[in-house]
Amino acid sequence: VQAVQNFKAVDYPRFDDALASYLAQLREDRNVTLGAVRIAAAGPIEAGCEVALTNSPWRISKAELCAVVGVSRAQLFNDLEAVALGLPHLGPGDDRPIGAFERPVLPGNLLALNVGTGFGAAIALRSSEGSLPAIATEAGHMSFSARTSDEAELLGECQSIEDLLSGNGVVSACQAFRKVGKHDSAAHLRSAAEVFAASGSEPAASRTLVTFTSVLARFAGDLVLATGSWGGCYFCGSVVQGWAAHVDEALFRDAFAAKGKMTERMSRVPTQLILVSHPALYGLSLAR
């Protein structure tokens, strides 16, 4: 993966404008000629040829991609579908465990989960031939449910899982806990990373971290059960990266594995933090 650049969606009315800006810089810096293009986008791919981003007004189509880039071949992928394509190729140093699971790894599908601007999930399916094609989902829009009194306090804020398990969701949850708990604070926490970093000293931030951990673990475990992803659950995204530095890993693993008759099996499912930079681009580079 080379020549990576970051652009803010709010700075460009259309995706084509951002892409054209990137291509101009790429051609100036490297004098490259492109033969094809692949795009990983945060939204469901419609009939393989168009995507409307879930949390942005951008729309991307294969036809427009070909026109802007000047190629005849283009492919669209969901962003987590692209991440899932890279999971079988992760090597030493590309990920690390979240919590302890010392028992043998079970064969099965692999699950990719992202927590960032939104919540995404995709499955790398283990076929009878041993290959692992990927299937995207929109699991972040499944319904949020409460199991604890703190989670119940968020029912007015959270209709879907993404309403909590996202950057804005973490900030909103912390604000809600401040109101209901009447926690005074001089700090103005504007991002999920700031909330997690303040969890050692701010009561509302601490409640947010524990609640986020429990809900993420429980929901990830549910998705493993639903998809047969016994081979492992892999986490990525800017929010997860900040959370992983402060999480109580024992609490996370307990909540992840607590599935009644399936608890013993779930205790053998690895939970891993992806360390590869730009895992969606990494997965795109390996797509066939």
Side-chain angles (χ1 to χ4, degrees), residues 107-110 123 222-232 265:
N109 300 327
L110 305 175
I123 313 115
D222 287 346
L223 291 178
V224 167
L225 290 174
T227 61
S229 296
W230 317 120
R265 173 173 279 264

Side-chain angles (χ1 to χ4, degrees), residues 44-278:
I45 310 301
E46 303 294 345
C49 62
E50 187 172 80
V51 57
L53 271 65
T54 305
N55 293 306
S56 167
W58 282 359
R59 298 187 70 89
I60 305 170
S61 76
K62 285 179 63 173
E64 290 177 357
L65 275 176
C66 291
V68 172
V69 181
V71 296
S72 59
R73 291 180 296 147
Q75 290 177 288
L76 291 178
F77 295 81
N78 173 266
D79 57 338
L80 263 291
E81 178 187 9
V83 173
L85 288 169
L87 296 183
H89 304 276
L90 296 178
D94 289 340
D95 58 355
R96 73 160 179 83
I98 304 175
F101 40 90
E102 298 179 358
R103 301 187 182 192
V105 174
L106 293 164
N109 300 327
L110 305 175
L111 179 65
L113 298 181
N114 176 89
V115 188
T117 304
F119 182 98
I123 313 115
L125 293 173
R126 188 175 298 280
S127 69
S128 58
E129 295 80 22
S131 62
L132 287 158
I135 293 182
T137 79
E138 288 297 331
H141 302 283
M142 296 171 71
S143 299
F144 173 81
S145 62
R147 291 279 297 274
T148 69
S149 58
D150 272 0
E151 290 171 22
E153 297 286 3
L154 300 178
L155 286 174
E157 305 283 338
C158 301
Q159 300 300 310
S160 72
I161 285 293
E162 186 173 275
D163 289 340
L164 173 62
L165 302 184
S166 62
N168 287 338
V170 170
V171 174
S172 295
C174 187
Q175 292 172 345
F177 284 139
R178 277 184 178 172
K179 291 178 182 177
V180 298
K182 298 181 180 179
H183 301 300
D184 294 327
S185 174
H188 181 52
L189 306 176
R190 296 171 293 180
S191 69
E194 291 179 359
V195 172
F196 295 142
S199 60
S201 57
E202 294 255 352
S206 177
R207 290 172 71 180
T208 302
L209 174 63
V210 170
T211 301
F212 180 94
T213 298
S214 298
V215 173
L216 177 62
R218 197 166 68 238
F219 188 58
D222 287 346
L223 291 178
V224 167
L225 290 174
T227 61
S229 296
W230 317 120
C233 182
Y234 293 78
F235 296 83
C236 63
S238 57
V239 173
V240 163
Q241 295 291 337
W243 162 82
H246 302 279
V247 62
D248 180 336
E249 294 189 351
L251 171 68
F252 173 79
R253 282 298 303 184
D254 287 346
F256 174 82
K259 299 297 180 185
K261 295 178 180 179
M262 289 289 110
T263 296
E264 191 278 335
R265 173 173 279 264
M266 291 294 292
S267 71
R268 301 168 64 187
V269 176
T271 45
Q272 303 283 127
L273 178 68
I274 298 174
L275 302 179
V276 172
S277 298
H278 312 291

